[in-house]
Amino acid sequence: MADEHLLIVEDEVKLAELLKDYLLKAGFKATCVSRGDEVLDKIRALSPALVLLDLMLPGMDGVTVCRELRKVSDIPVIMVTARVDEIDRLIGLEIGADDYICKPFSPREVVARVKAVLRRARPAEASQRRVAGPIVLDENTRQVTVDGHPLNLTPSEFGLLGVLMGSPERVFSRGELLDKVQGYRFEGYDRTIDSHIKNLRKKIAVHLPGREIILTIYGVGYKLSV
Ligand code: CA
């Protein structure tokens, strides 16, 4: 829980500092941004674990920021609004936020909400045995078999395959895969995903010659298809 980096988007400086204080005391790292149009760049630069997003912001309003963010990232977002009656409207907009907090809020409430959303966002710790066609992946034993033959995978390859198998047919961007496998994303690191995929394909192909399971979606990323 500790050390997770949170991005606070709030144009009222005093409120932003207050939020930051709460979250630092709860063991998080936190960075404040005051303009909506700076959020996407900050997220790229910091790869925070969660965003607290004020609704009324200069540069770009919170709803638009959230919509834009959802096109490129599934990072958890908690919207912060000054009015209770806005919450229903916000939920109705289906902008992709994970939770909502009303101003004025208590420190305890903010910290509790942040922790709850982060907990939900984390992959389940429980035993996970995933099956996709001839491939079986066991999160507990960290073993993968193809047609019953065990594969020797690196942690990154294992993580990648686990993400792809978790949502077959879903197309993942390289950035998303980086986020999910490494827990962070940097500009220019996308190519590392290509290398991992290449190695993963080679290892799978040994037991499934001529059959491509991890497909390249040009201009987007990769998906698993069996
Ligand atoms: Ca505001």
Side-chain angles (χ1 to χ4, degrees), residues 9-12 54-58 103:
V9 187
E10 172 61 68
D11 58 321
E12 289 165 57
D54 184 30
L55 194 62
M56 303 295 283
L57 290 165
K103 294 177 187 174

Side-chain angles (χ1 to χ4, degrees), residues 38-196:
E38 288 172 0
V39 175
L40 292 185
D41 281 347
K42 270 284 184 231
I43 286 173
R44 275 187 209 108
L46 299 173
S47 293
L50 180 145
V51 183
L52 277 164
L53 183 59
D54 184 30
L55 194 62
M56 303 295 283
L57 290 165
M60 189 189 279
D61 68 90
V63 169
T64 310
V65 171
C66 196
R67 281 212 180 100
E68 290 302 308
L69 187 55
R70 278 293 169 261
K71 291 178 188 168
V72 293
S73 168
D74 59 2
I75 178 175
V77 175
I78 299 179
M79 298 288 293
V80 182
T81 167
R83 287 166 49 186
V84 185
D85 57 347
E86 276 179 329
I87 290 181
D88 284 340
R89 189 175 70 82
L90 287 172
I91 290 170
L93 289 173
E94 290 176 8
I95 53 172
D98 296 271
D99 203 355
Y100 303 83
I101 296 176
C102 266
K103 294 177 187 174
F105 38 70
S106 74
R108 251 203 294 177
E109 181 190 4
V110 173
V111 171
R113 295 287 191 98
V114 165
K115 285 182 176 173
V117 169
L118 284 173
R119 206 161 38 235
R120 284 207 302 271
R122 264 185 228 115
E125 306 270 335
S127 159
Q128 292 260 19
R129 192 169 175 273
R130 291 177 176 158
V131 181
I135 305 180
V136 177
L137 178 145
D138 191 317
E139 297 272 6
N140 267 5
T141 61
R142 308 286 293 176
Q143 275 193 331
V144 177
T145 56
V146 176
D147 264 345
H149 304 282
L151 288 193
N152 196 1
L153 301 182
T154 66
S156 293
E157 291 160 6
F158 182 90
L160 258 181
L161 187 61
V163 170
L164 291 168
M165 286 179 74
S167 306
E169 300 299 333
R170 171 171 169 341
V171 180
F172 290 91
S173 72
R174 291 175 175 83
E176 272 182 296
L177 291 173
L178 269 176
D179 261 357
K180 288 179 189 297
V181 174
Q182 299 183 173
Y184 58 85
R185 180 198 295 205
F186 288 116
E187 220 65 58
Y189 274 57
D190 289 8
R191 296 298 140 202
T192 63
I193 289 293
D194 294 348
S195 319
H196 292 319

